[in-house]
Amino acid sequence: MNSQAEENYLKAIYKLSRDEDAVSTSALAAELGVQAATVTDMLKKLSSKGRIAYKRYHGTALTDLGRKEAVRIIRKHRLWETFLVEKLGFNWGDVHEVAEQLEHVNSEQLIDRLEAFLGNPKTDPHGDPIPTKEGQVERQSTLPLSELHLATPTKIAQVKDDGKDLLSYLEKHGMLLGSTVEVLEKLDFDGSLRLLVSGKEAYVSDKIASNILVFSPH
């Protein structure tokens, strides 16, 4: 059994490995908010337990066992977020830190019953896919809002950054999951977008638009 700290590292490596094959120590330190030396010590420990393949100066990657455990943690986290929003009335911007605590509960029976109680949801409140018990992750066909062509209506599928400030901003402007969105204008100066969101105009920066995933138009 892994410690909570080890589970946090596995989850962070899994997240960062979506953008790069080998995760650097500096990227992992930035993600977790710790010193590089602390990361190196933990990577050596996880490597000795067969959870990662680690070579100094060459980055780290999850082994099959490490990926399996990382996905299991993520599954619990996203199910708990769904429970907190759907059943306890939490705002979607307030659930991440609570789910961070709950994800370390190790009762598989509890998580199986939680999933069944929720009706076997496919995505969490932020649109992230919820892995199956077998570790399968169903990817949706999406693209960043910043890459959507003009005058191409689609719907918001996912928010990559689950930070409270961004989620509060999106909620304030009605940019929720399932909302219809269309790019009316893209400014060459800074890449910001003028949008039509469920019939109302809104403006977002390129940074915000890059964190919003929309369904790929057919």
Side-chain angles (χ1 to χ4, degrees), residues 63-212:
T63 62
D64 288 343
L65 175 59
R67 182 189 181 282
K68 180 180 179 181
E69 295 186 354
V71 170
R72 180 178 62 85
I73 300 162
I74 291 167
R75 174 174 178 256
K76 290 189 290 183
H77 182 97
R78 293 176 180 173
L79 283 170
W80 281 121
E81 285 195 337
T82 303
F83 173 76
L84 290 168
V85 170
E86 292 188 0
K87 304 302 180 181
L88 297 187
F90 276 71
N91 182 277
W92 70 334
D94 296 329
V95 295
H96 181 71
E97 291 185 0
V98 180
E100 286 271 299
Q101 301 172 51
L102 293 169
E103 71 185 25
H104 299 294
V105 174
N106 284 312
S107 171
E108 288 299 323
Q109 183 182 36
L110 172 61
I111 301 305
D112 289 345
R113 291 193 177 191
L114 176 63
E115 183 177 41
F117 176 69
L118 293 170
N120 302 302
K122 301 297 183 183
T123 58
D124 72 6
H126 310 112
D128 295 308
I130 298 175
T132 66
K133 185 178 181 179
E134 295 72 31
Q136 297 175 335
V137 182
E138 183 178 340
R139 301 294 182 187
Q140 303 179 95
S141 179
T142 61
L143 76 161
L145 177 59
S146 55
E147 298 178 11
L148 184 66
H149 293 306
L150 297 178
T152 309
T154 184
K155 292 185 176 182
I156 297 175
Q158 184 179 344
V159 181
K160 291 169 59 178
D161 184 344
D162 55 9
K164 186 172 182 178
D165 290 343
L166 174 59
L167 295 175
S168 295
Y169 178 86
L170 296 180
E171 186 172 20
K172 179 181 178 180
H173 293 280
M175 301 181 69
L176 306 174
L177 299 187
S179 298
T180 301
V181 62
E182 178 182 350
V183 179
L184 300 177
E185 182 183 7
K186 184 169 185 177
L187 302 183
D188 293 333
F189 175 69
D190 60 0
S192 60
L193 304 178
R194 181 167 66 92
L195 307 171
L196 188 66
V197 182
S198 299
K200 297 181 180 180
E201 285 199 14
Y203 291 83
V204 296
S205 66
D206 178 65
K207 182 177 181 180
I208 290 177
S210 66
N211 274 291
I212 299 172

Side-chain angles (χ1 to χ4, degrees), residues 3-104:
S3 67
Q4 289 190 16
E6 290 169 343
E7 289 186 343
N8 289 336
Y9 271 80
L10 292 175
K11 189 174 67 169
I13 295 169
Y14 179 88
K15 175 184 177 181
L16 295 173
S17 64
R18 291 182 298 183
D19 299 321
E20 51 184 299
D21 293 332
V23 178
S24 68
T25 299
S26 58
L28 200 51
E31 174 69 19
L32 294 168
V34 297
Q35 298 296 317
T38 303
V39 172
T40 299
D41 290 342
M42 178 59 80
L43 293 182
K44 291 178 180 178
K45 184 176 182 180
L46 290 171
S47 178
S48 69
K49 298 177 71 172
R51 269 58 176 182
I52 64 169
Y54 168 65
K55 187 175 182 180
R56 196 172 185 182
Y57 306 122
H58 290 80
T60 186
L62 294 170
T63 62
D64 288 343
L65 175 59
R67 182 189 181 282
K68 180 180 179 181
E69 295 186 354
V71 170
R72 180 178 62 85
I73 300 162
I74 291 167
R75 174 174 178 256
K76 290 189 290 183
H77 182 97
R78 293 176 180 173
L79 283 170
W80 281 121
E81 285 195 337
T82 303
F83 173 76
L84 290 168
V85 170
E86 292 188 0
K87 304 302 180 181
L88 297 187
F90 276 71
N91 182 277
W92 70 334
D94 296 329
V95 295
H96 181 71
E97 291 185 0
V98 180
E100 286 271 299
Q101 301 172 51
L102 293 169
E103 71 185 25
H104 299 294

